[in-house]
Amino acid sequence: MKFSFEKQIGDVFIEADTTVMGEIVGNVVVLSGAKLELIAPVKGNVTLMKFSKALIRGQIRGNLYDEGAEIEELASNVKGHIIHKR
């Protein structure tokens, strides 16, 4: 499990199980087989690829694209749309 505490600017690709506790300004893509635990806010879109997993507690100020992921928790405030592409 990786941990990210710092603010990140730019697009982020999650390739391994990761907990994000620092703000992200950019888009986030969770690749197949990876798990994202999002606690911090994201100013951008979040894409969950097929066979990825997500536990989302932070605010998403953009769209959430679900392309076949397992969403364990969606307790966040998504300011954009939740789009399921299955």
Side-chain angles (χ1 to χ4, degrees):
M1 172 77 66
K2 293 173 54 177
F3 295 93
S4 174
F5 297 99
E6 298 179 8
K7 180 176 181 176
Q8 298 179 60
I9 298 175
D11 294 344
V12 175
F13 293 88
I14 305 296
E15 299 174 315
D17 295 357
T18 304
T19 299
V20 175
M21 294 183 245
E23 178 183 21
I24 296 175
V25 180
N27 298 315
V28 176
V29 177
V30 183
L31 300 176
S32 185
K35 179 179 179 180
L36 169 66
E37 182 175 357
L38 181 65
I39 298 170
V42 173
K43 292 180 183 176
N45 297 320
V46 174
T47 302
L48 306 172
M49 302 302 291
K50 190 172 186 174
F51 304 121
S52 66
K53 294 182 181 180
L55 185 110
I56 300 174
R57 296 184 182 134
Q59 184 181 70
I60 298 172
R61 296 182 203 144
N63 295 325
L64 173 65
Y65 297 96
D66 174 11
E67 297 191 359
E70 178 183 327
I71 300 174
E72 296 178 3
E73 182 179 335
L74 183 60
S76 67
N77 185 7
V78 178
K79 294 291 186 181
H81 299 284
I82 299 174
I83 301 163
H84 298 282
K85 298 179 176 181
R86 295 185 186 243

